[in-house]
Amino acid sequence: MIITLIGYMGAGKSIIAKELEKIKKYKKIDLDFEISQKIGMEIPEIFEKRGELFFRKIERELLVKILSEENNIILSTGGGTPCYYDNIDLINKNSVSVYLRTKVMTLAERLIPEKENRPLISKISEENLAEFIGQHLFERNQFYNKASIIVDTDNLTPIEIGAKILKEIEKKYQV
Ligand code: S3P
């Protein structure tokens, strides 16, 4: 089984992937990390030097490769991954998708200190960030909401979220 975590920047996909790796003893693959390795640049540098379209193309290529070649993994995606090409359908066909749903205010609080490393929000001022996220989430929710499992993450610890995800998977797939 492949468990794919999707959700907005700051939803905790990487941290929860680490938790699931521990509990489930599956290998963790981080799509942003794989992209960085392949191109030999950090994500902000790829956006700056090669542009977002190039990034989305490589993101798609690696997603197809991982979903077709790997098994028994936790796949942590980037916030935009399910929103381009037919990525969300591909994810749903080849894995159990989990949307980590997080409130706008929680995302904004978490993202303010890390803004500079995230090319899509680095130029948004702190005071406009929550409004930007609200609008962006509204556009992206049509993709995120296609996930097989949706887990609300506000006020829960990574351990609790990890346990909740596995419980939901067991309930839905009897595994
Ligand atoms: C993006 C989210 C980032 C990274 C890139 C684009 C997005 O990943 O893939 O900066 O479109 O939301 P995280 O969600 O891990 O920050």
Side-chain angles (χ1 to χ4, degrees):
M1 179 173 44
I2 298 181
I3 301 175
T4 304
L5 300 181
I6 66 173
Y8 202 74
M9 291 175 267
K13 300 179 293 290
S14 306
I15 299 168
I16 306 305
K18 268 191 210 147
E19 270 318 313
L20 290 174
E21 182 184 37
K22 271 192 255 160
I23 318 175
K24 190 86 183 151
K25 309 259 181 323
Y26 277 8
K27 182 173 75 164
K28 168 179 76 69
I29 298 183
D30 185 302
L31 191 54
D32 276 345
F33 178 78
E34 298 299 318
I35 298 168
S36 242
Q37 290 288 105
K38 185 178 163 82
I39 307 302
M41 290 183 219
E42 295 294 327
I43 305 293
E45 201 184 350
I46 301 177
F47 269 72
E48 194 195 317
K49 298 205 170 130
R50 309 292 306 266
E52 182 172 356
L53 279 184
F54 172 80
F55 173 84
R56 296 300 172 195
K57 224 178 107 216
I58 306 297
E59 182 179 50
R60 162 74 181 188
E61 262 174 46
L62 286 175
L63 179 71
V64 170
K65 187 168 187 292
I66 293 166
L67 289 175
S68 62
E69 290 178 359
E70 298 284 346
N71 198 12
N72 295 338
I73 58 158
I74 314 290
L75 175 61
S76 169
T77 61
T81 312
C83 315
Y84 292 84
Y85 303 91
D86 63 343
N87 288 351
I88 186 61
D89 297 328
L90 191 78
I91 289 170
N92 281 336
K93 203 165 151 230
N94 295 284
S95 69
V96 176
S97 56
V98 180
Y99 171 26
L100 301 179
R101 186 163 61 186
T102 312
K103 293 202 170 96
V104 172
M105 285 324 286
T106 312
L107 294 172
E109 275 166 28
R110 285 188 196 154
L111 289 171
I112 283 173
E114 306 180 7
K115 220 158 61 69
E116 302 320 312
N117 299 321
R118 322 251 180 178
L120 293 181
I121 53 169
S122 58
K123 293 188 176 68
I124 313 284
S125 70
E126 263 185 54
E127 61 196 28
N128 289 333
L129 192 60
E131 197 190 333
F132 174 86
I133 294 171
Q135 175 67 31
H136 207 193
L137 253 186
F138 179 75
E139 288 162 17
R140 286 182 165 187
N141 267 336
Q142 57 177 310
F143 303 99
Y144 294 154
N145 284 330
K146 281 188 166 184
S148 308
I149 289 171
I150 299 180
V151 170
D152 285 308
T153 65
D154 293 274
N155 308 317
L156 293 181
T157 65
I159 298 177
E160 289 169 335
I161 297 167
K164 201 167 162 185
I165 290 171
L166 294 180
K167 208 170 122 200
E168 289 294 321
I169 292 178
E170 275 168 29
K171 205 163 76 185
K172 193 155 179 179
Y173 298 93
Q174 270 92 46
V175 287

